[in-house]
Amino acid sequence: MRKTLLAAALALPILGSAAAAEDTIKIGYIDPLSGGGASVGEVGLKTFQFLAEELNTKGGVLGKKVEIVPLDNKTNPQESLIQAQKAIDAGVRFITQGNGSSVAGALSDFVTKYNERNPGKEVLYFNYAAVDPVLTNEKCSFWHFRWDANSDIKMEALTNYMKSTPSIKKVYLINQDYSFGQSVRSQAKAMLAAKRPDIQIVGDELHPLLKISDFAPYVAKIKASGADTVVTGNWGQDIALLLKAAADAGLKVNWYTYYAGGTGGPTAIKQAGLNHQVFQVSEGLANLEHQSSRDFEKAFRAKYDFGLFYPRAVNQMRMFAAAADKAKSTDPVKVAQALEGMTFEVFDGGEGVMRKDDHQFFQPIYISSLGERSEKEPFDEEKTGWGWRLVAKIDTPQTMLPTTCKMERP
């Protein structure tokens, strides 16, 4: 009898944890939590944890609690695959990642091959920030969905704005030396040549990803080139340290960026005195006159000491819940089928659509500049007193570029 009771007592925690697991949807967050990308990885983790809490407060997803499982990939593709397998072994069937398109490519291939080998145990990959166009073109996968605009869409928006700025005469390109940075440089050159052939490219620099601690030599080259404008896709410490070096050198040019709003960027911009001279292309900004997103921003900043970097993450998590509700299931295959072609009211207002052809999400795109605020702009960045101001908006239909994806569906 004692042995029977002891066995039953030992079994209870196991049964309890299994029951708890069935009532929990785990999302594996695979991004850098150490190394050069940690500053953005930590921000992303806290953002997803906040969004999970938002869903759980409303009853979760189909009554199930959402849990974010942090997995440090050190911005390394091979380490990311180890972490993905670790997540799957722990019962995770949804993973999300955003920092590094080389990582994204590896994860997309891994998930696609895993699902082919493991029918009935499929995994979905939600991409919130890796923007190499190949991920929704020649390397597209049914198991990959992207909520950020790809780099071609962003460059199309930036160059359309730049072409109507006659003061731009000499442009310097500086980018990270991997697939995304190479895409930014090639598209910047091609699109500027087509839209403003009078603009001279006076520098075209590639540097190692998240390895440079001092950008002073690079800034010296920019100054020597006579450039009046810099175009960069740099992110993480590579944009913050680049802007810091520009501030230290007194470099006074206009900047057209993808990620100047990342950790340390606004502080460096203020130190450089670049009042509304640094532009960023994004899917949203804090100071838009849109009440529900401002309410979210206020609550988010009350909890954390930074603003919302990733409106696209909000769209991703809310659309995941909507897809599960539509499918009446959290099975990854059914969720994927529900996401295909889904239209959705996006975080900052307006309609977005997840294109079925390639699983690229399209949404309004904004160009903003950082500087002194008006009374209608309540949010500053990094306690600088400066905030983002809207300078241009591109509606969803105008962001849609064609795809070469040939989707293979299960």
Side-chain angles (χ1 to χ4, degrees):
M1 174 65 80
R2 281 197 204 96
K3 288 181 179 178
T4 303
L5 289 172
L6 179 60
L10 290 172
L12 281 173
I14 299 171
L15 292 172
S17 62
E22 289 179 4
D23 291 333
T24 302
I25 299 171
K26 295 181 178 181
I27 299 177
Y29 175 81
I30 303 175
D31 256 329
L33 301 174
S34 63
S39 62
V40 290
E42 287 287 356
V43 165
L45 174 59
K46 290 178 179 178
T47 302
F48 277 99
Q49 289 171 334
F50 187 92
L51 292 167
E53 288 176 18
E54 178 186 69
L55 290 177
N56 291 337
T57 299
K58 297 176 181 178
V61 174
L62 294 182
K64 296 181 180 182
K65 180 182 177 181
V66 178
E67 177 188 349
I68 305 300
V69 180
L71 298 152
D72 181 14
N73 70 355
K74 305 175 180 63
T75 328
N76 180 279
Q78 189 57 42
E79 182 64 27
S80 299
L81 304 189
I82 294 170
Q83 296 301 322
Q85 187 62 60
K86 179 180 176 182
I88 292 169
D89 291 344
V92 171
R93 298 184 73 185
F94 301 92
I95 62 172
T96 191
Q97 175 271 345
N99 295 293
S101 288
S102 56
V103 170
L107 282 174
S108 184
D109 287 344
F110 171 84
V111 167
T112 300
K113 291 173 183 175
Y114 174 86
N115 290 343
E116 289 173 356
R117 295 192 299 264
N118 297 275
K121 299 180 180 179
E122 290 86 357
V123 175
L124 273 189
Y125 165 32
F126 295 156
N127 173 0
Y128 73 95
V131 296
D132 189 337
V134 301
L135 294 166
T136 45
N137 283 295
E138 55 265 38
K139 292 187 178 180
C140 66
S141 167
F142 175 80
W143 309 105
H144 164 270
F145 289 83
R146 173 160 52 198
W147 271 267
D148 199 0
N150 73 39
S151 62
D152 286 358
I153 296 169
K154 292 184 177 185
M155 187 56 70
E156 180 81 9
L158 273 181
T159 52
N160 279 344
Y161 181 77
M162 293 172 70
K163 73 179 181 182
S164 60
T165 308
S167 60
I168 298 176
K169 301 293 185 184
K170 296 182 178 181
V171 169
Y172 199 103
L173 307 175
I174 180 166
N175 288 286
Q176 297 152 319
D177 191 7
Y178 77 114
S179 58
F180 161 62
Q182 292 159 7
S183 174
V184 171
R185 75 185 291 226
S186 64
Q187 289 303 310
K189 288 191 287 188
M191 292 184 185
L192 285 173
K195 299 171 186 180
R196 279 285 305 277
D198 59 305
I199 288 178
Q200 183 182 358
I201 304 296
V202 295
D204 182 8
E205 191 90 43
L206 290 172
H207 63 79
L209 173 66
L210 302 175
K211 301 288 186 185
I212 307 298
S213 59
D214 182 8
F215 277 89
Y218 295 92
V219 169
K221 288 183 182 180
I222 296 171
K223 288 188 78 171
S225 73
D228 53 60
T229 302
V230 174
V231 174
T232 180
N234 279 19
W235 57 270
Q237 69 176 28
D238 284 345
I239 185 63
L241 293 176
L242 176 60
L243 288 167
K244 181 181 182 300
D248 292 343
L251 178 63
K252 295 286 187 180
V253 298
N254 292 321
W255 295 73
Y256 288 86
T257 79
Y258 283 42
Y259 305 115
T263 303
T267 298
I269 293 167
K270 176 68 181 289
Q271 289 173 346
L274 296 170
N275 187 20
H276 293 293
Q277 288 181 257
V278 177
F279 300 85
Q280 177 175 257
V281 60
S282 65
E283 78 287 0
L285 59 145
N287 287 322
L288 284 178
E289 294 189 37
H290 182 256
Q291 193 58 49
S292 64
S293 60
R294 284 194 176 189
D295 291 343
F296 181 101
E297 189 83 36
K298 186 176 180 180
F300 189 81
R301 291 178 182 229
K303 182 164 186 174
Y304 301 125
D305 61 351
F306 53 85
L308 180 66
F309 289 10
Y310 303 118
R312 52 193 176 270
V314 183
N315 295 331
Q316 174 182 305
M317 291 290 278
R318 291 177 178 176
M319 285 181 70
F320 167 53
D325 186 63
K326 178 182 176 182
K328 295 181 173 55
S329 173
T330 57
D331 177 77
V333 178
K334 293 180 180 178
V335 170
Q337 291 168 340
L339 281 170
E340 288 195 314
M342 178 181 279
T343 57
F344 196 78
E345 179 72 17
V346 298
F347 174 73
D348 278 310
E351 187 173 83
V353 59
M354 179 63 73
R355 186 163 63 185
K356 183 176 180 178
D357 293 349
D358 57 353
H359 296 182
Q360 170 67 57
F361 188 62
F362 293 93
Q363 61 206 305
I365 296 292
Y366 302 89
I367 298 174
S368 55
S369 62
L370 188 80
E372 295 174 352
R373 293 176 295 143
S374 71
E375 292 180 358
K376 294 182 179 180
E377 296 163 338
F379 299 109
D380 80 331
E381 303 299 329
E382 298 183 340
K383 300 180 175 62
T384 60
W386 284 11
W388 292 102
R389 174 178 297 168
L390 176 66
V391 298
K393 177 185 178 183
I394 302 93
D395 289 324
T396 303
Q398 281 69 55
T399 69
M400 292 184 175
L401 297 180
T403 180
T404 59
C405 172
K406 292 180 174 59
M407 184 74 71
E408 295 184 9
R409 292 179 168 78

